[in-house]
Amino acid sequence: MATTQISSERLDAITSTILQPTAANGVQGRTAVFEDVIAGLTRLISRYRPPGAEVLRFPPVMSRALLEKSGYLKSFPHLLGCVSALTGTEAAIRSLVEGRADGQQWCDGLAATDLVLTPAACYQVYPIVAARGDVARSGTLVDVESYCFRRETSSELGRMQAFRMREYVCIGAPETALTFRERWKPRAEEIATQLGLPFTLQPASDPFFGRAGKLMAANQVEQALKFELLVPVNSEEAPTACMSFNYHQDHFGTTWGLRTDGAVAHTACAAFGLDRLTIALFATHGLELFAWPQSVREALSL
Ligand code: ATP
Ligand code: ZN
């Protein structure tokens, strides 16, 4: 689909008017008009909910032990945020926060708690499903959403530290999970077309940590485990990943002991970056909702 470069005035207006910047990079307030679009996207994506999918919504924190077990620290330690809290006696805490502890800042008294900030919505799902016993032959489907946190260092529009991720997750036999992922590609294109977004669908890799991570990323592309639907926002050359379609093979199945039909279950997910899709919509169609194409407003029931 042909596109034209989005003006820097429009991008600036999204950054400073449609979103409200705060003192923290990548942490923004959402305005009413932004939330109206998020609600529209939520309705549209819900119309694609796979029949029988269980709906689960999560707060933005999860168990640290579960995240450790999921292998996140091996792959993305640089993106993780951990909840820490002050510990110690009342007197010790008081002297820290009142700046009376010799040479110590209040932050020096922090200790990690049993919570981390959720980095991806689907991490919460696997241990819950595993605790219920074997997965039915037909597979298990979950519709999950969570605010997610990633310690992103770039401040480009759309790369946030805290953002909403909606996902459809499939747990089942290898062919069930892979078929689910494959079916989501044309559906994603259909959604992007309804939204009037210029896009490409491309093989992709996760931002794995360190030098070994480069190899993991290359393997991921070679095995076609991840695809992203990209929309030009900041530039045509570096379009923004607004949806991703992932086949995890037996990674979560082995980790959590998920089994189906006497074998380890495989998993797949279709993930929608709600904030990024909203930014892409404002970037593509402009700042005034009433001036958006009628078909786009209808798709969003706006
Ligand atoms: P990227 O390649 O841009 O770093 P990712 O591949 O790490 O993204 P996923 O882990 O697949 O992203 O996350 C699922 C979806 O969540 C993405 O397709 C994207 O729309 C959204 N998302 C990921 N990171 C961010 C972020 N920092 N800010 C806003 N949305 C994000
Ligand atoms: Zn996922």
Side-chain angles (χ1 to χ4, degrees), residues 2-221:
T3 55
T4 48
Q5 191 78 35
I6 293 157
S7 74
S8 59
E9 289 79 16
R10 185 178 285 181
L11 296 177
D12 288 347
I14 297 170
T15 303
S16 59
T17 314
I18 302 289
L19 289 166
Q20 285 296 300
T22 72
N25 248 343
V27 180
Q28 297 92 348
R30 275 71 171 160
T31 58
V33 72
F34 192 92
E35 285 304 299
D36 285 348
V37 176
I38 292 263
L41 281 169
T42 298
R43 285 187 287 269
L44 174 61
I45 294 166
S46 295
R47 290 204 281 278
Y48 285 83
R49 179 184 295 142
E54 174 181 351
V55 177
L56 284 171
R57 299 290 178 259
F58 289 98
V61 290
M62 64 178 284
S63 151
R64 172 157 65 94
L66 292 189
L67 194 82
E68 286 166 355
K69 187 167 164 181
S70 77
Y72 194 82
L73 287 170
K74 241 190 264 156
S75 301
F76 314 106
H78 56 309
L79 297 177
L80 183 62
C82 181
V83 176
S84 52
L86 291 172
T87 54
T89 62
E90 181 181 341
I93 290 176
R94 235 179 240 298
S95 70
L96 275 170
V97 297
E98 290 171 2
R100 290 184 284 103
D102 262 358
Q104 280 197 306
Q105 307 286 323
W106 75 271
C107 292
D108 298 329
L110 289 172
T113 67
D114 58 345
L115 296 175
V116 291
L117 301 173
T118 306
C122 68
Y123 281 96
Q124 300 266 43
V125 168
Y126 308 112
I128 290 177
V129 173
R132 295 176 183 166
D134 277 14
V135 171
R137 261 191 134 163
S138 53
T140 290
L141 293 159
V142 182
D143 166 348
V144 62
E145 189 184 314
S146 175
Y147 245 105
C148 294
F149 173 89
R150 292 184 189 175
R151 187 67 181 151
E152 301 276 13
T153 47
S154 142
S155 58
E156 69 177 8
L157 180 58
R159 192 161 289 285
M160 302 164 137
Q161 293 205 72
F163 55 94
R164 270 161 288 187
M165 197 188 294
R166 175 90 180 263
E167 294 194 55
Y168 291 130
V169 180
C170 173
I171 304 169
E175 60 277 14
T176 307
L178 195 53
T179 306
F180 169 90
R181 204 279 304 266
E182 289 308 300
R183 286 207 179 125
W184 260 102
K185 288 190 203 161
R187 278 183 205 148
E189 295 181 333
E190 189 180 297
I191 291 176
T193 303
Q194 286 187 63
L195 293 174
L197 295 172
F199 65 86
T200 53
L201 191 65
Q202 278 176 20
S205 60
D206 284 311
F208 293 109
F209 181 62
R211 249 198 302 165
K214 290 209 171 34
L215 199 64
M216 289 162 81
N219 280 340
Q220 201 179 18
V221 173

